[in-house]
């Protein structure tokens, strides 16, 4: 069998600094913004000429955080509660033979500044630093299949998790709206998608408050679990999870 060498054409700058916070599918959180920065010989405008005419693009990428951790022919999809096994090719598990994934995301803009070419994206579901192997335009007449069925993942994931904002946290978001105009909405959407599925059922609700002039989400589980938000860039925030006291 032949081996194939793949070279990244770009890397993602994403608000998701840890796997914990990432939604399991693209476009579930439109407020999740990212930059796709081209590298090396691909950092030239001619590579993306005409791409601005498309509203969405496919990103073909490498699961770089799990690529060296092995794979199994059977996996336990979280949507099934982690109990039932499915074939890896019947799921979108990150632990795959070749560690390749794909996401359809919204193209917000194309930029070339100070010698750097980058795409402005939204609805992203990729970890910061993800290597991009290829980019293709999304074609609605071919790629959209309204009558398709999706087995155990036929509906959008939902959770009853409640996210509450303290008055100080709301004021914090309002005061930073010029730099992060969608921060509160981003937090409200990402917390239920991740904590609601991955955390114990008794952590409801998550309380967003202020500690040391930062937004902090506190969920009462077996012991307090703190969810920290740190600055990322325009219209976004990074999320990190700690199990220690806030520092």
């Amino acid at each position: 069998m032949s081996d194939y060498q793949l070279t990244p054409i770009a890397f993602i700058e994403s608000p998701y600094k840890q796997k914990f916070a990432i939604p399991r599918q693209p476009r579930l959180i439109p407020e999740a913004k990212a930059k796709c920065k081209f590298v090396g010989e691909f950092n030239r405008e001619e590579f993306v000429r005409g791409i601005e005419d498309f509203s969405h693009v496919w990103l073909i990428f490498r699961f770089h955080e799990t690529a060296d951790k092995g794979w199994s022919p059977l996996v336990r999809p979280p949507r099934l509660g982690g109990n039932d096994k499915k074939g890896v090719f019947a799921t979108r598990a990150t632990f795959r033979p070749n560690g390749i994934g794909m996401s359809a995301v919204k193209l917000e803009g194309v930029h070339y500044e100070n010698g750097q070419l980058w795409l402005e994206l939204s609805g992203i579901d990729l970890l910061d630093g993800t290597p991009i192997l290829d980019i293709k335009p999304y074609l609605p007449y071919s790629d959209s299949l309204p009558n398709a069925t999706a087995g155990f993942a036929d509906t959008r994931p939902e959770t009853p998790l409640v996210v509450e904002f303290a008055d100080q946290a709301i004021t914090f978001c309002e005061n930073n709206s010029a730099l992060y105009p969608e921060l509160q909405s981003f937090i409200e959407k990402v917390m239920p998608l991740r904590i609601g599925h991955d955390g114990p059922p008794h952590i409801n609700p998550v309380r967003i408050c202020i500690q040391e002039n930062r937004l902090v989400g506190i969920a009462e589980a077996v012991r307090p679990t703190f969810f920290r938000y740190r600055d990322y860039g325009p219209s976004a925030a990074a999320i990190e999870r700690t199990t220690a006291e806030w520092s």
Side-chain angles (χ1 to χ4, degrees):
M1 184 183 301
S2 300
D3 290 330
Y4 296 92
Q5 190 72 30
L6 298 176
T7 301
I9 64 171
F11 289 87
I12 291 292
E13 285 189 1
S14 160
Y16 302 119
K17 309 301 181 182
Q18 296 178 341
K19 183 177 66 174
F20 148 76
I22 304 174
R24 294 198 179 101
Q25 305 298 338
R27 302 189 314 283
L28 292 179
I29 303 179
E31 294 84 354
K33 307 293 178 65
K35 294 179 180 180
C36 178
K37 288 188 171 183
F38 292 85
V39 295
E41 64 180 302
F42 308 105
N43 187 31
R44 304 205 310 268
E45 291 180 277
E46 53 261 44
F47 277 99
V48 296
R49 183 180 299 167
I51 200 172
E52 68 276 3
D53 295 332
F54 298 89
S55 65
H56 294 74
V57 295
W58 286 102
L59 302 179
I60 312 300
F61 62 90
R62 175 84 163 159
F63 288 111
H64 63 297
E65 284 283 299
T66 58
D68 62 347
K69 294 180 172 58
W71 57 274
S72 171
L74 292 174
V75 297
R76 300 177 186 271
R79 287 289 293 270
L80 299 178
N83 298 317
D84 296 336
K85 290 184 178 181
K86 298 290 184 181
V88 65
F89 297 140
T91 75
R92 295 194 174 188
T94 60
F95 297 94
R96 315 186 69 81
N98 290 310
I100 293 175
M102 57 191 295
S103 289
V105 299
K106 184 172 176 55
L107 177 62
E108 300 282 0
V110 183
H111 306 272
Y112 189 81
E113 301 172 347
N114 300 319
Q116 178 63 63
L117 175 66
W118 56 281
L119 303 182
E120 180 183 356
L121 308 170
S122 66
I124 202 77
D125 64 336
L126 301 183
L127 185 68
D128 186 58
T130 293
I132 302 301
L133 304 177
D134 198 5
I135 298 172
K136 301 177 185 293
Y138 179 91
L139 304 179
Y141 76 87
S142 175
D143 297 342
S144 178
L145 304 170
N147 296 321
T149 58
F152 64 86
D154 204 32
T155 58
R156 176 189 175 96
E158 300 292 347
T159 174
L161 184 75
V162 176
V163 180
E164 299 176 348
F165 279 76
D167 291 341
Q168 284 184 321
I170 294 175
T171 300
F172 181 96
C173 292
E174 292 174 347
N175 291 342
N176 288 274
S177 61
L179 186 57
Y180 308 113
E182 299 174 323
L183 178 57
Q184 183 172 345
S185 178
F186 176 76
I187 294 170
E188 289 174 338
K189 291 179 180 179
V190 77
M191 297 298 276
L193 282 175
R194 295 308 300 173
I195 303 175
H197 288 293
D198 296 343
H202 57 282
I203 67 173
N204 198 25
V206 172
R207 179 76 168 168
I208 309 299
C209 57
I210 297 292
Q211 287 189 8
E212 298 184 4
N213 201 34
R214 286 175 178 264
L215 284 174
V216 182
I218 301 179
E220 294 295 332
V222 177
R223 58 175 172 162
T225 300
F226 295 83
F227 300 91
R228 177 172 58 190
Y229 303 84
R230 65 182 174 89
D231 293 345
Y232 158 63
S235 306
I239 298 180
E240 297 176 331
R241 178 169 61 179
T242 67
T243 53
E245 293 297 319
W246 176 257
S247 60

